[in-house]
Amino acid sequence: DKDRRVLTKDGVNSLAQDPVGKNFPWRPLRIVDLLPTMYLGKETMLPMADLDEKYLLLYFSAHSDALSKEFTPWLVKAYNIMKKKRKDFEVRKKK
């Protein structure tokens, strides 16, 4: 549960009794619950609420990953096209 206590010692049987997961004891967190309340803007920390009603792409990459190095220029091109068309579009890169 939310306090990390054991819910059952017979998990296999509990799941077998509930094949569609209706009573599954844990739920994945919503993305909004995983994000911080503030994000780094161009120069300062800003409230995440500023991004409400915007399309948000979270991009995770590593400098050592060759695919990330190839993909990043394409992402920049796509971002520039989208930003010209829409003001409600943001990309945040997380290293």
Side-chain angles (χ1 to χ4, degrees), residues 16-76:
Q17 300 289 328
D18 183 24
V20 295
K22 183 177 179 186
N23 299 313
F24 200 58
W26 50 88
R27 299 278 182 255
L29 293 174
R30 300 174 308 155
I31 187 74
V32 70
D33 295 330
L34 297 172
L35 296 173
T37 57
M38 304 289 284
Y39 75 95
L40 181 60
K42 290 184 179 181
E43 296 178 11
T44 61
M45 296 300 290
L46 301 169
M48 249 349 215
D50 287 358
L51 300 176
D52 286 355
E53 304 302 319
K54 289 190 174 191
Y55 294 93
L56 181 64
L57 169 69
L58 301 175
Y59 172 47
F60 297 87
S61 70
H63 291 294
S64 60
D65 180 26
L67 291 176
S68 291
K69 288 180 181 179
E70 287 182 38
F71 177 72
T72 302
W74 289 98
L75 177 62
V76 170

